[in-house]
Structures are given as structure tokens and as C-alpha cells.
Amino acid sequence: MVGVVLRNVTKRWGSFTGVHAVDLVIGDREFVVFLGPSGCGKTTTMRMIAGLEDPSDGEILIGDRVVNDLEPKDRDVAMVFQNYGLYPNLTVYENIRFPLKVRRVDASTHDARVRKAAAMVELGDLLHRRPKELSGGQRQRVALARAIVREPAVFLMDEPLSNLDAKLRVSTRAQIKNLQHELKVTTIYVTHDQIEAMTLADRVVVMNKGRFQQVGTPTEIYDRPANTFVAGFIGSPAMNLMDGAVAAGVFEAPGVRVPGLVGYPDGPATLGFRAEDAEVAAGPGGEIAAPVYSIELLGDATLVSVRVGPALVAARAPKTFRAEIGDPVSFRIGAAGCHVFDSASGERIEPAPAMASPGPARADLGSTMPIGATA
């Protein structure tokens, strides 16, 4: 089994710390995506795994080996860069073959391995061309094939799709996911694009300011964000966030009143909900009522935005919904679709568990019986 382990890994440059004591265990054959805004430390973390940067503290293991002191060529990893890194004077065939020559792999195996890697990314009929004769998508596939031909223990991909147009991103994203499934190789992928992260990853590592904010499956991170940063970064559109206060199970802010938040402590709080968890209706009513700020036709739905205090709040309406800017609308938000965060720290707040009713358990209590109780 070949996984990757980070133990208390830190990277400092003088007084500036780019990565703060991160810990992570990546399983064999797992596809993990490092996600975050520019400058958050995700590429630095990958470069330390690759051996292109030395950690200031901590240990990095690939398989059962501590690799801190190993050269990049000795770590058995293959890296795909954002800028492709192709040799312009070499053909596609020779670009793919180059890692085999550098590593002095038996020359008799080169042709078969090059053609197999090229076929995996549908480049079999382009092997005679040079990079300048290829499209951006084709160049990226050459870079992928060059990594594949190595047959490494770990793939490292640093924003490989950022130079492609939207249509090519979709098709190349699907190709990368399928390749990882076929090759069954541990893969670490860096991106600032949350759609790439959500569609590709087995697990996502959300980073900000050199720290891990949350590690989990795409579903876990989308459904239960650990803090307001994750909530506001994941999703398209991002989760709506409004500052206010909870009192006796009711969240209130200027223009907002959401009841039913049972079990949450009283005090200042940030309320979050996703656009698809609200219903839009014309006219007043609901938990939020305000004039339309903007309206966007998305094809399968209509995104309606209103301004509530300083916050711009969006809800997803049916594609047939029509309104003009300035028209009164209302959003209905069920408590079940709400998330509550601490206003000061931004951390998620979980409601206190409901108290069991006093007295002996009875069969006719139905769903109110405590778990494990018998009639």
C-alpha cells in the first residue's frame, strides 16, 4: 500500500509561516484535493510532498518511508504542472518518453509504455506532432501521459486545468477522474476551483491561511461545513450567511426572523442556508421579505437575490419564476435547512440534543421513545 502521511508539517520563510503544523493521512489509491484561495498554502504543501520545498518542521511519509531527506527523483512521484512543462523541440512521443530516458528504464520497454500511456489519454494519432501544433487540451493530455508513463506510486497535480476553457475543463476533468480509477494510484490534486474539488475528490482538504479548515468527503463538506469560511467557499452560489442573534430558538436580524432553531444557545450568531434550501414567492411573507436585487436565469432554475442589511442573499426559484428588479419577494427558510455558526470564531454550532421526556417509556410513544428503550 502506498499512501501519504503528513505529520505536523510546517513551512516557514523567516517570520512568515506559509503552512501551519498540518496533519493528514491519505490512503492508498485515494484521490485527495487540496482546495483553497490563492496564497492559502495548498501548492506549498504539494511541493513539500514532491520534494521541491523542504518542510521547516514535521515529517512526510510516502508509503512507509520518511522522505524528508530524499531528492524528488527518489520519491516515486510524478507531477503534472499548471503550465504543462513540455519540451517544444521534442515530439509528443519523445515528451512522453522523456521520464523513462532520464530514469534509465530498459529501452526495450519504452515504445510499448509510451503508446499505452498515449492511448489512455487519446493521443495515439498525435505522437508525431510538436507542442506548438497542439491545442491547450492536447498539451495537457501530453503532460498527463508523461506522468502516467512513469507508473509512479503517487500522482501530484497542481492546478492542471486552470489554463483550459470551460468546455475543455469539463471533459478533461472527467478524463482525469476515469484515469485515476483505472490506474488505481494515490492522487493529490491542487485547485482553487471548488467544482473541480467536489467532482473529483474522494476527500477534500479545505485550506485557508496555511491551515486545514476541514477535511472530509465532498458531501460532508457541503452538507456540514465546519465554519463560515468553508460555508462561504463551497457551493455555487456559496452559502448565504447573515449576522444576528438567537433567542429562545428564534434567529433574528434586520429583515430576518427564522423560528424553530431548537437547542441552539442564545446569543450572537451567524445563520447560513443554501440557495436550494429556500423557497421563493412573490410578495411579502416568509422568513425574509425584501425587494429583488438581481435575478439570473440559469437554464434549469432562476437565482433570485435580495439585500438583507449588509448581506446579499440568494435563493433558487423554478426556471419559470419571473420578477423584475425592485419587485417584493419573500424567502421561506425551514429550520432544517439552516446552519448556525459562532459569530466570533466562525465555528459551527451544533444544537444541544433534545431532552428525553420524563417518566417510563411506553410503546405508544412511537418515535419519541429514547433509542434503545423497550416497551
Side-chain angles (χ1 to χ4, degrees), residues 288-324:
I288 296 175
V292 173
Y293 182 84
S294 71
I295 190 162
E296 302 171 62
L297 301 179
L298 305 178
D300 63 334
T302 301
L303 194 68
V304 182
S305 298
V306 300
R307 187 169 288 286
V308 180
L312 196 61
V313 179
R316 199 177 288 265
K319 63 181 180 181
T320 55
F321 183 86
R322 294 291 181 270
E324 300 293 332

Side-chain angles (χ1 to χ4, degrees), residues 186-208:
T186 304
T187 302
I188 302 172
Y189 187 106
V190 161
T191 184
H192 64 273
D193 186 327
Q194 53 100 8
I195 294 176
E196 287 180 24
M198 300 294 281
T199 54
L200 287 173
D202 296 323
R203 281 193 302 157
V204 179
V205 179
V206 184
M207 293 189 69
N208 187 40

Side-chain angles (χ1 to χ4, degrees), residues 29-235:
R29 303 180 182 182
E30 189 175 17
F31 196 129
V32 169
V33 175
F34 286 83
L35 172 68
S38 297
C40 72
K42 57 189 185 294
T43 294
T44 299
T45 304
M46 173 176 281
R47 288 174 62 84
M48 287 191 286
I49 295 169
L52 302 177
E53 296 277 359
D54 294 325
S56 305
D57 292 306
E59 288 185 331
I60 300 172
L61 287 79
I62 298 178
D64 57 0
R65 297 188 304 167
V66 176
V67 299
N68 290 45
D69 297 327
L70 293 182
E71 294 293 324
K73 64 183 179 62
D74 298 322
R75 298 191 181 198
D76 199 14
V77 301
M79 194 161 181
V80 179
F81 294 94
Q82 177 180 348
N83 62 358
Y84 315 139
L86 304 181
Y87 297 99
N89 59 316
L90 300 181
T91 62
V92 169
Y93 183 98
E94 289 300 330
N95 265 287
I96 298 172
R97 183 188 178 199
F98 189 79
L100 302 179
K101 294 172 68 176
V102 170
R103 295 174 67 85
R104 298 180 182 177
V105 174
D106 182 359
S108 66
T109 68
H110 287 196
D111 188 68
R113 289 175 65 169
V114 169
R115 294 185 183 279
K116 179 182 177 182
M120 283 185 167
V121 293
E122 302 175 10
L123 286 173
D125 57 347
L126 301 177
L127 293 174
H128 62 286
R129 295 192 184 181
R130 299 186 188 277
K132 67 180 180 181
E133 302 173 279
L134 304 176
S135 67
Q138 289 167 338
R139 292 178 192 176
Q140 189 56 269
R141 283 187 279 152
V142 175
L144 287 170
R146 189 175 57 189
I148 291 167
V149 80
R150 282 269 316 276
E151 299 177 0
V154 178
F155 282 130
L156 304 176
M157 301 187 182
D158 186 10
E159 306 216 35
L161 308 185
S162 60
N163 290 334
L164 305 182
D165 62 38
K167 185 177 179 180
L168 271 176
R169 282 190 184 192
V170 173
S171 59
T172 309
R173 191 169 69 217
Q175 194 167 44
I176 289 173
K177 184 67 173 178
N178 184 263
L179 277 172
Q180 197 268 346
H181 176 76
E182 286 187 19
L183 296 169
K184 296 178 172 59
V185 175
T186 304
T187 302
I188 302 172
Y189 187 106
V190 161
T191 184
H192 64 273
D193 186 327
Q194 53 100 8
I195 294 176
E196 287 180 24
M198 300 294 281
T199 54
L200 287 173
D202 296 323
R203 281 193 302 157
V204 179
V205 179
V206 184
M207 293 189 69
N208 187 40
K209 297 181 180 179
R211 302 180 189 275
F212 289 176
Q213 301 295 311
Q214 188 171 1
V215 180
T217 67
T219 300
E220 290 168 348
I221 286 175
Y222 189 84
D223 290 345
R224 296 178 60 80
N227 53 44
T228 51
F229 174 81
V230 177
F233 195 79
I234 298 292

